[in-house]
Amino acid sequence: MRKMIWGSLRCLLSLSMLAGMTACSVMPWSEKEDPTVVPYKTIMSGSYQGFLKNWDDQRQPVFCALIRSRDEWEQWMKAAPTQGDKRPTGPSPDHFERNQYLLVARTMSAPDAAERPHVFTPLSVSLRDGTLRLNYLYRAPASGASYRIKDYLMVAIPKERFTTGPVVFYENDRKVCQLDR
């Protein structure tokens, strides 16, 4: 008899919890998507067979670009295919139908393998009042290497989320670049 009562109580408790959770999921105060937040995907600097072309880093220590087409990609990136390497030299032209890229770069002491993934850290991409904003952290490499490299942070964002307007890059909460489109 006791087992039957406890079993019934457990069943009732489970059903009431399930009904409560279902009701909470359709309540009007549930969170809606924030239209100012732009989804992004980080593209590692070694993802493609190529490198960023040179720029005058004395005049412009932080390089910034918005790349919206394959032609713009080839304006800033140089293909460097090597035999046996299966990586592509860049995104396919049809990829640019859906995506665009925010690019920020610096000349720096070469980081060691452990610190390289932490030199650039994207924090957010947002769109407010027609201005696209990339906010990221930059940590200068402490490896003490005797040579310098040009490395970059690249993020892919959906093309439909931003079509025209200023693009502002914030490094460590400080504005470093603005592109007017």
Side-chain angles (χ1 to χ4, degrees), residues 52 60 62-68 72 75-77 100-105 132 134 153-155 167 169 177-179 181:
L52 180 62
Q60 185 181 8
V62 180
F63 174 80
C64 303
L66 173 64
I67 302 173
R68 297 181 50 85
E72 289 178 2
Q75 178 183 353
W76 298 117
M77 304 299 287
Q100 57 192 330
Y101 297 90
L102 296 171
L103 172 72
V104 62
L132 186 67
L134 170 63
L153 167 67
M154 184 181 297
V155 296
V167 182
F169 297 79
C177 291
Q178 180 167 335
L179 306 173
R181 294 190 34 84

Side-chain angles (χ1 to χ4, degrees), residues 17-56:
M17 287 177 61
L18 180 62
M21 287 189 294
T22 303
C24 287
S25 68
V26 295
M27 291 299 186
W29 58 76
S30 63
E31 274 189 56
K32 293 189 168 89
E33 182 180 333
D34 184 352
T36 64
V37 175
V38 178
Y40 66 90
K41 179 183 176 199
T42 304
I43 309 299
M44 301 304 291
S45 61
S47 298
Y48 297 109
Q49 289 189 69
F51 56 91
L52 180 62
K53 292 181 180 178
N54 287 330
W55 75 93
D56 184 356

